[in-house]
Amino acid sequence: MIPHISSRPRRTLVLAAAVGAALTFGAPAALAGTAPVAPSAPSVQSAPAKAKAAAPTSQSATWVAGTRAYLVITAPGDSSAVRSAITANGGTVFSNYDSIGVIVAHSASGSFATTMRGVSGVQQVGATRTSDVPADAYNPALPANPTQATTPTGEPVRADMSQIKADQAWAVTTGSSSVKVGILDTGMDDQHQDLAPNFNAADSVSCAYGKADTRTGAWRDVDSHGTHVAGTIAAAKNGKGVIGVAPSVKISAVRVAEPGNSFFFAENTICGFVWAGDHGFKVTNNSYYTDPWQFNCPDNVDQAAIIEGVKRAQAYAESKGSLQVAAAGNENYDLAHKTTDSASPNDSTPTTRTITNACLDIPTELPGVVTVAANGTGTTKASFSNFGQGVIDVAAPGSDVYSTVPGGKYGSKSGTSMATPHVVGVAALLASTNPGITPAQLRDKLATQANDIACPSDSRCTGTTANNAFFGEGQVDALKAVGSTPPAGKYFENLGDFAINDNATVESPITVSGVTGNAPATLKVGVDIKHTYIGDLKVDLVAPDGTVYTVHNRAGGSTDNIIQTFTVDASSEVANGVWKLRVNDNASADTGKIDAWNLTF
């Protein structure tokens, strides 16, 4: 059948029905089509104090028609004076996140935003929607807990898993149960036999409407999108159905979608990112854009506040150790050359407007977020996948992906939504094999392990084979991520252990051969040093002619281990010869070893 847009999830194109009981994925008539269209979102990226949402004053409020939601942005810290002003000016505080300076306010007053923009201490105010806040926000109904179908045994390896070599990676590791992955989506069917073994109820929640609802089951799926994403990441290797990329990591559902429409408004996304940071998620999956605007433009006061609020929440999550991975979108649109937006606002009446690159698809284009494009068969560009030089980071399979759906069933979907969880799974494997890895290091490793894909004969694909508009750094490779050796001639490594003793210097050599000419200006130096006090260490790359390039110089204090890829401009050096990683310990009491290191030309 020809794919069409699935019910609400913006990032998904439906291809097939599920197995088990009969299941059909429908789409509203206005969205169904014979090719990807500009779809609506689903609508379906000393430590600071935790940004806990305060008990909302509006918990028992009586809903009235015309109630709208607003982000009130202040300086991080005590917002009590601004919250009092909200109440005094016809609003109520629904939730607040003082550590990032974001308050979610409700008001039915048409002058509320204008009035609040004049209040001392208020930096920005913006409406988060062009429709009313549903009455359900004040007393949310729990999603249904679907009856589970019985699935026959057997879990053949699917084509998408073979494509990224996940099936080979499982021989090395299936992931660590200490790695927590958050799925910010339409929810998850935690009773599904392929998800239940890895489901983490303690860290699951609903963030619909913009505040955490921790009731049992509040996290359940109000569509099917989130359950499908979850299976691709971490369906258990249990002899049933399918296997996820990282089938032993823990997955938590953070339902950001509102019921009935699966809208992902800004306050919901903010709640989700803060929750991710506070609950130790190593990586999160974000296969949506923040409704109701496909692109948020900073010259619009409402959209500027949305950008700022979600940006702060993402930065908060990252500061707590969480990497956000997001779908690029399904409009076959060049995100590096934006011109028009015809899909916004999707919660009322969309209009066509002229936009520029200053307008952002969020969270996809926020700083620090890994943006994922979809591959079709093999290493082709999926026809629907968005693209953009400097925007796309990596690519992964996104066509006809078979995974879990609610009720113990399985089905196929296509979209960058389906590509993103492959990348999240690879990131979870990287985190499993590199305990303590930071979000920045994870981003770097995702780029390093990806396999380059050259541009096809398509003028829209700009850039180089190493990094281009269609595929970014290339297609993810789970086997390389967990430590396999990439093709000879470009990648060289030394896996031998070299002891780092107190006040001593040690060198680990790598012999490079078969590389023509000089080393690149972007020589990648992957370092895995186990040491209990990296502030003792000076780390140098020594070229074959003896030239020394310092990559780490006694930084990091009492932090353990250096697991990082550095970029060195070695373009003046002949590539072939013996390169050395030199580590100098400059103090007593702490020792370690060079566990491994590598060079990528």
Side-chain angles (χ1 to χ4, degrees):
M1 64 184 280
I2 298 173
H4 61 277
I5 302 296
S6 131
S7 49
R8 277 298 302 140
R10 167 234 183 171
R11 307 291 186 189
T12 310
L13 308 174
V14 173
L15 284 185
V19 297
L23 178 66
T24 302
F25 293 90
L31 294 181
T34 58
V37 297
S40 25
S43 1
V44 174
Q45 182 197 69
S46 112
K50 290 186 177 180
K52 296 291 188 183
T57 58
S58 57
Q59 179 68 34
S60 59
T62 301
W63 178 86
V64 295
T67 298
R68 296 292 172 89
Y70 300 87
L71 298 183
V72 180
I73 309 294
T74 72
D78 183 8
S79 65
S80 56
V82 174
R83 283 183 272 130
S84 295
I86 289 171
T87 302
N89 287 287
T92 57
V93 175
F94 190 74
S95 58
N96 71 284
Y97 303 92
D98 277 355
S99 288
I100 61 172
V102 175
I103 303 168
V104 179
H106 288 178
S107 179
S109 168
S111 61
F112 175 77
T114 301
T115 302
M116 285 303 302
R117 289 180 187 123
V119 170
S120 176
V122 172
Q123 298 174 353
Q124 296 182 65
V125 179
T128 65
R129 53 184 85 201
T130 63
S131 56
D132 289 0
V133 174
D136 185 67
Y138 298 107
N139 186 23
L142 288 174
N145 185 7
T147 301
Q148 299 295 310
T150 301
T151 300
T153 57
E155 49 180 7
V157 175
R158 308 295 301 185
D160 56 316
M161 295 297 159
S162 296
Q163 189 169 326
I164 64 167
K165 302 191 185 97
D167 53 335
Q168 298 177 55
W170 299 329
V172 180
T173 180
T174 54
S176 169
S177 61
S178 65
V179 171
K180 295 195 288 188
V181 175
I183 300 168
L184 279 62
D185 214 290
T186 61
M188 189 193 308
D189 179 7
D190 55 296
Q191 306 296 312
H192 197 294
Q193 69 270 11
D194 242 350
L195 302 179
N198 293 327
F199 182 72
N200 176 12
D203 293 314
S204 292
V205 70
S206 169
C207 273
Y209 310 116
K211 71 167 181 280
D213 181 350
T214 59
R215 293 176 297 165
T216 298
W219 58 71
R220 292 200 174 114
D221 209 332
V222 294
D223 185 84
S224 63
H225 190 265
T227 299
H228 194 278
V229 164
T232 300
I233 296 170
K237 199 170 185 291
N238 58 1
K240 301 175 182 177
V242 297
I243 312 172
V245 177
S248 294
V249 303
K250 291 299 181 184
I251 46 176
S252 299
V254 179
R255 179 165 68 86
V256 184
E258 297 182 8
N261 53 33
S262 290
F263 283 128
F264 287 49
F265 291 106
E267 60 268 38
N268 311 5
T269 306
I270 290 166
C271 171
F273 284 152
V274 170
W275 183 272
D278 287 343
H279 289 261
F281 296 165
K282 181 57 69 175
V283 60
T284 69
N285 191 103
N286 302 272
S287 291
Y288 59 91
Y289 69 70
T290 302
D291 295 296
W293 307 99
Q294 183 172 10
F295 300 103
N296 286 269
C297 299
D299 59 355
N300 177 287
V301 289
D302 292 322
Q303 294 163 42
I306 291 172
I307 294 171
E308 182 64 19
V310 178
K311 181 179 179 180
R312 288 189 187 188
Q314 193 289 126
Y316 177 84
E318 184 167 342
S319 76
K320 292 288 190 173
S322 178
L323 175 69
Q324 278 57 252
V325 182
N330 299 332
E331 295 79 42
N332 193 25
Y333 191 94
D334 186 351
L335 295 174
H337 297 90
K338 302 185 185 82
T339 56
T340 59
D341 174 12
S342 299
S344 308
N346 60 19
D347 67 334
S348 54
T349 303
T351 61
T352 298
R353 57 179 178 152
T354 300
I355 63 171
T356 68
N357 284 348
C359 303
L360 301 177
D361 181 336
I362 60 174
T364 298
E365 292 188 275
L366 290 178
V369 174
V370 174
T371 304
V372 181
N375 290 124
T377 303
T379 56
T380 61
K381 174 190 175 295
S383 61
F384 51 79
S385 182
N386 285 354
F387 57 96
Q389 180 67 38
V391 179
I392 302 302
D393 291 305
V394 290
S399 295
D400 196 16
V401 175
Y402 186 79
S403 186
T404 49
V405 293
K409 303 165 190 173
Y410 301 84
S412 292
K413 293 176 186 271
S414 287
T416 54
S417 275
M418 285 52 259
T420 303
H422 289 89
V423 177
V424 169
V426 170
L429 291 178
L430 282 167
S432 298
T433 54
N434 297 275
I437 193 169
T438 67
Q441 291 167 343
L442 262 181
R443 278 195 300 272
D444 189 70
K445 281 186 174 289
L446 280 171
T448 300
Q449 56 74 48
N451 294 315
D452 293 343
I453 305 175
C455 281
S457 297
D458 188 326
S459 61
R460 300 173 302 165
C461 188
T462 57
T464 65
T465 297
N467 192 319
N468 57 59
F470 278 10
F471 312 110
E473 296 279 355
Q475 187 178 86
V476 293
D477 186 320
L479 183 59
K480 281 170 60 175
V482 298
S484 78
T485 303
K490 179 177 180 181
Y491 179 96
F492 303 84
E493 65 182 358
N494 189 332
L495 299 177
D497 291 347
F498 291 78
I500 303 171
N501 298 317
D502 284 331
N503 296 294
T505 299
V506 62
E507 293 181 339
S508 173
I510 286 178
T511 299
V512 173
S513 62
V515 179
T516 303
N518 283 9
T522 55
L523 178 65
K524 302 295 186 183
V525 185
V527 175
D528 186 351
I529 293 173
K530 303 298 194 298
H531 194 282
T532 51
Y533 197 100
I534 66 172
D536 289 354
L537 303 180
K538 182 173 183 286
V539 182
D540 300 314
L541 174 69
V542 183
D545 68 356
T547 303
V548 175
Y549 299 86
T550 299
V551 298
H552 173 92
N553 194 2
R554 306 194 68 177
S558 60
T559 305
D560 292 349
N561 306 329
I562 303 173
I563 304 172
Q564 186 172 349
T565 298
F566 302 92
T567 300
V568 172
D569 182 356
S571 56
S572 63
E573 308 292 338
V574 174
N576 292 334
V578 179
W579 297 73
K580 298 175 183 177
L581 189 73
R582 177 184 294 163
V583 180
N584 173 238
D585 186 295
N586 293 276
S588 302
D590 291 271
T591 60
K593 65 180 179 179
I594 302 175
D595 201 12
W597 74 288
N598 59 67
L599 292 170
T600 304
F601 287 81

